[in-house]
Amino acid sequence: MNAVRSPMAELLARRMLPASTFVASAGVRSGERDPFVDAVLAEEGLSLGERHPRTMDELEDDYFDLIVTLAPEAHHAALELTRSLAVEVEYWPTPDPTGASGTREQIIAAYRDVRERLKLRIGRRFLLPEEKNATD
């Protein structure tokens, strides 16, 4: 729903990758903004600003070299969408922190875990070894 994992990944990728790299995130269905995402991004000095969740139909551009999906439903939708296109689709299984329960700190910990997993995955996939050291 473009409310938790993919907005986190989008902002992290924008910070970690060269400015010339176009990064956009979207969901299969529209969703609502998640305040825990804002909290864990703020810890990294990042903000979604006025951005709200959007669907794939709302993307301004429909040409991509790579689509990374973070949830099974999104992966299936991306494969269907790109069936006749020359675009690479990768699936990065990423836990959904919205199911976390307990204290506020326990819930925030689940969101932080997703953030850290995404940072690690983006670094491993896109950065050269010397660039990885610079982001640590």
Side-chain angles (χ1 to χ4, degrees), residues 76-119:
H76 294 297
L79 290 175
E80 185 64 31
L81 180 73
T82 61
R83 208 183 270 205
S84 62
L85 303 174
V87 60
E88 187 178 350
V89 178
E90 290 184 11
Y91 176 46
W92 297 357
T94 307
D96 181 359
T98 62
S101 61
T103 66
R104 182 181 190 287
E105 190 54 37
Q106 290 169 320
I107 294 169
I108 282 282
Y111 281 74
R112 285 180 185 131
D113 178 63
V114 168
R115 181 194 65 205
E116 295 306 308
R117 287 174 188 243
L118 289 169
K119 281 175 27 181

Side-chain angles (χ1 to χ4, degrees), residues 57-88:
D57 294 335
E58 295 173 278
L59 288 176
E60 296 172 14
D61 195 348
D62 61 356
Y63 175 78
F64 299 94
D65 296 314
L66 173 67
I67 297 173
V68 174
T69 60
L70 306 173
E73 185 179 4
H75 188 66
H76 294 297
L79 290 175
E80 185 64 31
L81 180 73
T82 61
R83 208 183 270 205
S84 62
L85 303 174
V87 60
E88 187 178 350

Side-chain angles (χ1 to χ4, degrees), residues 4-49:
V4 178
R5 295 168 282 192
S6 58
M8 270 197 242
E10 178 182 351
L11 284 185
L12 292 167
R14 285 176 188 246
R15 182 177 68 185
M16 295 170 69
L17 303 178
S20 60
T21 304
F22 177 74
V23 179
S25 68
V28 176
R29 296 181 311 278
S30 58
E32 296 296 320
R33 192 152 162 175
D34 187 315
F36 288 113
V37 172
D38 292 319
V40 299
L41 287 173
E43 293 173 350
E44 295 283 316
L46 297 171
S47 171
L48 290 170

